[in-house]
Amino acid sequence: RLAAPRRGHGAPLGGLARRGVMLRCLLAGAALADVAQARSDNPGTVEIAPERTSPSDDASLRRRQGRRQGVAGRLRAQRAWADEVGFFQGLPAVRAVWSRTARYTMLGPDASIAQSVERLKRDHVPGLNGTTVGDVFRAFDEGGCPIWLMGGVVRDFLAGDEPNDVDVAALCEADQVSQIINNAQWHPRKLPVGKAQHWEVGDKARPRCLEGSPLGAVSFFKDAHRADTSASMLLWSVGHDTLIDPS
């Protein structure tokens, strides 16, 4: 016996219609069962639709990343410069005398001396088969031993002249200098040995051979009374475009 139609709900389903609804429900249930089985077989697989971003969103992200990288780079440079100054100020004569008179002038990459140093870094070290001065400076820096130009080369660059010799000071100890030179396998070279802490990289018989010593081994930074002229004491931080005048 069929019930009378209810108002607002339409006539009751006939037998064929009911069977059609049941069939669709069974098919839908089977499809869901297949999905559940696939997920159980691959529990680590999760499908996520790729997020769509507009070109303006991509540009904004790149700007934010660039700003973060710029800030991080400045912080690293500040820490590196603080380490260099700290090494210098820890030398005996600097603690005793030169700390009261030393001046640090950051000139920046556009200064004439900074541009002269950049040209110097592109020069090849004589006898090192294409190795540039900049390559040597970079190897020292990566080895934890920053390089400062010293004396005549700084004076000549300030005067607009080209130096024949490049004297440098290494902000580390002699054994670290030897390790860096040995690791780089530069030949010819002269390593600091014993009390003779002078070192050379390249062919000494030709111009622009690099030579120097640890900054702490320089006579007037061990004993202020052994200072020569002010020009001989001038220093230039290769990594920070900064002139250091101790006197």
Side-chain angles (χ1 to χ4, degrees):
R1 181 181 179 181
L2 298 177
R6 294 182 181 179
R7 182 179 296 176
H9 293 277
L13 295 174
L16 290 175
R18 283 197 297 271
R19 285 195 292 272
V21 171
M22 292 176 62
L23 180 59
R24 286 195 293 272
C25 289
L26 289 172
L27 291 174
L32 290 174
D34 290 342
V35 171
Q37 182 63 38
R39 288 176 177 171
S40 65
D41 293 340
N42 299 279
T45 302
V46 178
E47 293 185 3
I48 301 175
E51 182 181 356
R52 295 183 179 179
T53 58
S54 67
S56 61
D57 292 337
D58 292 340
S60 177
L61 177 61
R62 287 194 296 270
R63 285 195 296 270
R64 289 197 298 272
Q65 291 174 338
R67 284 194 293 268
R68 285 196 294 269
Q69 292 171 355
V71 170
R74 287 193 294 273
L75 289 175
R76 285 194 298 271
Q78 290 171 2
R79 287 194 294 267
W81 171 240
D83 289 343
E84 292 186 18
V85 173
F87 184 94
F88 175 65
Q89 293 180 342
L91 301 178
V94 178
R95 286 200 311 268
V97 176
W98 307 125
S99 60
R100 297 191 292 270
T101 59
R103 290 174 293 174
Y104 308 86
T105 307
M106 187 169 289
L107 296 177
D110 294 331
S112 60
I113 182 173
Q115 294 176 4
S116 296
V117 173
E118 285 303 310
R119 289 193 295 272
L120 169 67
K121 288 160 69 174
R122 291 192 292 269
D123 287 346
H124 292 115
V125 180
L128 292 193
N129 299 322
T131 300
T132 65
V133 174
D135 293 334
V136 174
F137 290 170
R138 191 177 309 108
F140 269 86
D141 189 64
E142 291 173 353
C145 186
I147 290 292
W148 285 6
L149 303 183
M150 181 174 63
V153 61
V154 182
R155 176 202 60 215
D156 290 345
F157 279 153
L158 287 172
D161 298 329
E162 290 296 320
N164 289 323
D165 300 318
V166 181
D167 295 322
V168 303
L171 274 65
C172 61
E173 302 301 327
D175 57 349
Q176 194 169 350
V177 170
S178 296
Q179 182 178 1
I180 292 169
I181 294 175
N182 281 328
N183 289 344
Q185 299 182 351
W186 292 320
H187 294 278
R189 82 280 183 84
K190 177 182 178 182
L191 299 177
V193 179
K195 294 183 179 180
Q197 298 197 26
H198 180 82
W199 54 272
E200 299 170 1
V201 173
D203 185 353
K204 176 66 174 176
R206 297 161 60 185
R208 297 295 177 93
C209 167
L210 290 176
E211 54 183 320
S213 62
L215 187 60
V218 178
S219 60
F220 41 75
F221 292 134
K222 292 193 296 185
D223 181 358
H225 297 290
R226 300 178 67 179
D228 195 358
T229 63
S230 295
S232 66
M233 297 176 63
L234 289 174
L235 300 160
W236 176 263
S237 171
V238 171
H240 300 281
D241 294 331
T242 298
L243 177 69
I244 302 98
D245 183 1
S247 62

